[in-house]
């Protein structure tokens, strides 16, 4: 009896351990349901038909309101690691002055690039003061006397 319980516990631990290695998948952004952005026809569809087929865009261009973006991304995460994108699709739809579709462009994950962030402080101009110069430089900078523009200051009448 003890042997069967030990075997069952070992099997449960093994299956639980294997289940912990499975990635957690997440989909974010635009999800095509009835129509795909690739089905939009250049010169035929208008701003209204695009809204009807695809819905509101994920984002609009900052400098050109005639450019819409539909963005979707799939990520996977293993245990305690940061999520990693496995699939990304950015569809850019541009409109002309007559509000007809002028261009449809699809970008994938391979079209993007990584930006290397520098986690250090941004350097500023001027020279760096050491701690003694900072301490001595602050002597006399306190302002304990009330100022003329201070509403709480007492003024002689």
């Amino acid at each position: 009896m003890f042997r069967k319980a030990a075997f069952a516990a070992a099997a449960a631990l093994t299956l639980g351990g294997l289940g912990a290695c499975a990635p957690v998948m997440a989909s974010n952004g635009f999800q095509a349901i009835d129509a795909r952005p690739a089905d939009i026809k250049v010169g035929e569809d208008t701003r209204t038909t695009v809204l009807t087929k695809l819905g509101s865009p994920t984002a609009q261009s900052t400098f050109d309101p005639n450019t819409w973006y539909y963005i979707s991304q799939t990520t996977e995460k293993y245990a305690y690691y940061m999520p990693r994108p496995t699939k990304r699709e950015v569809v850019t739809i541009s409109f002309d002055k007559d509000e007809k579709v002028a261009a449809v462009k699809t970008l994938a994950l391979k079209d993007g690039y990584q930006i290397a962030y520098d986690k250090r402080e941004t350097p500023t101009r001027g020279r760096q003061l050491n701690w003694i110069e900072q301490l001595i430089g602050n002597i006399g900078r306190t302002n304990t006397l009330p100022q003329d523009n201070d509403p709480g200051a007492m003024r002689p009448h």
Side-chain angles (χ1 to χ4, degrees):
M1 187 71 170
F2 176 73
R3 212 169 167 175
K4 287 183 181 180
F7 180 73
L13 284 173
T14 302
L15 290 176
L18 289 175
C21 293
V24 176
M25 304 294 285
S27 295
N28 303 89
F30 174 76
Q31 304 297 318
I33 298 172
D34 294 334
R36 297 177 330 148
D39 297 337
I40 301 298
K41 306 239 184 307
V42 176
E44 291 180 22
D45 286 312
T46 62
R47 189 182 297 254
T48 307
T49 59
V50 171
L51 274 173
T52 304
K53 290 179 181 179
L54 302 178
S56 298
T58 307
Q60 286 186 2
S61 175
T62 304
F63 301 110
D64 182 15
N66 293 325
T67 303
W68 290 0
Y69 299 102
Y70 290 90
I71 305 167
S72 65
Q73 176 173 289
T74 303
T75 58
E76 66 180 25
K77 179 180 178 184
Y78 287 97
Y80 54 86
Y81 294 110
M82 295 292 291
R84 186 177 62 104
T86 56
K87 180 182 175 187
R88 181 180 302 134
E89 185 176 84
V90 178
V91 177
T92 305
I93 299 178
S94 301
F95 299 98
D96 60 11
K97 62 182 176 179
D98 298 327
E99 293 192 358
K100 288 194 175 190
V101 175
V104 177
K105 186 176 180 183
T106 302
L107 302 170
L109 184 62
K110 64 180 173 62
D111 297 321
Y113 57 91
Q114 296 291 324
I115 298 172
Y117 293 106
D118 190 5
K119 301 214 185 276
R120 295 175 293 166
E121 294 179 11
T122 304
T124 58
R125 292 185 160 205
R127 70 181 196 91
Q128 297 289 329
L129 301 176
N130 62 26
W131 67 274
I132 295 174
E133 290 173 324
Q134 290 177 7
L135 183 66
I136 294 173
N138 285 328
I139 295 176
R141 289 196 181 183
T142 61
N143 193 2
T144 56
L145 298 174
Q147 300 294 315
D148 291 336
N149 60 358
D150 188 7
M154 296 186 65
R155 293 184 178 84
H157 294 284

